[in-house]
Amino acid sequence: MAFFLAMNKFIPAAMVAALALTVTACSTVEPADSSAPPAVVSSPTPTEQSLEAEPPASSSSVAEPSSETASPAQSEDVVFGQTASWQDGISVVLSKPRKFTPNEYAAGVEGKKHVVLDVTLTNGTAEKFDPTSFHLAAQSGDGEASQIFDSASGVGEYPQTQLRAGKSVKWKIAFSVEDYNDLAVDVTPDFDHDTQMFTF
């Protein structure tokens, strides 16, 4: 009887010890598991933010200065390739200048640098428009640009027929210039219209 009583006292103590070891083991594993996820999640986060943050910053820094610096300088001028318009509906487009080699019999050729442009005149009024008074003048560098008349190349031949309402007419003009990248062209549809300037 004494032996069985001793065993009964011993078994609970052993079970308590085993439970204590189990709890201790679990408690030591849980902190390691809980600390692992932050280390894995935090590593890609800075990389993703930096890649997403850099492109908007660079694009906004480029777009804003260009619009702010360009608009005041060109507030009164028209850029080559865009449209100059008047209140009554007349509009003119001068294409971007291109290098041009005039014919040997062309008139108005000066120097060795020449450009040609396309002129598009549109009559947006309700009446016919007479283009015979259409006038162009240009400046390049520090002097006047000489207008070239080259019939063999179809350059400098102004329209002579009245332009009906809603219609457009297109022709070519050329100039001898001092600098290919420095050109300003005045456009005056006729004596009843103000002059507008085309520039780069």
Side-chain angles (χ1 to χ4, degrees), residues 21-128:
L21 290 173
T22 303
V23 172
T24 304
C26 293
S27 63
T28 57
V29 172
E30 287 179 356
D33 293 339
S34 61
S35 61
V40 175
V41 173
S42 60
S43 59
T45 303
T47 306
E48 293 175 359
Q49 289 178 348
S50 62
L51 291 175
E52 294 175 358
E54 288 179 2
S58 61
S59 61
S60 61
S61 61
V62 172
E64 291 179 1
S66 64
S67 61
E68 290 177 0
T69 56
S71 55
Q74 300 173 355
S75 59
E76 297 181 357
D77 297 336
V78 183
V79 179
F80 289 114
Q82 296 185 356
T83 303
S85 56
W86 286 260
Q87 292 182 351
D88 61 351
I90 295 295
S91 62
V92 176
V93 178
L94 291 188
S95 68
K96 294 181 179 180
R98 307 179 301 275
K99 290 183 179 180
F100 174 66
T101 301
N103 184 277
E104 59 180 337
Y105 301 108
V109 179
E110 296 181 1
K112 297 182 179 180
K113 297 179 180 179
H114 319 289
V115 295
V116 62
L117 306 89
D118 298 320
V119 183
T120 303
L121 170 64
T122 301
N123 181 11
T125 70
E127 300 177 354
K128 294 178 182 179

Side-chain angles (χ1 to χ4, degrees), residues 133-152:
S133 298
F134 193 97
H135 180 69
L136 291 165
Q139 182 180 16
S140 177
D142 296 326
E144 289 291 312
S146 175
Q147 186 169 352
I148 299 172
F149 296 90
D150 186 355
S151 58

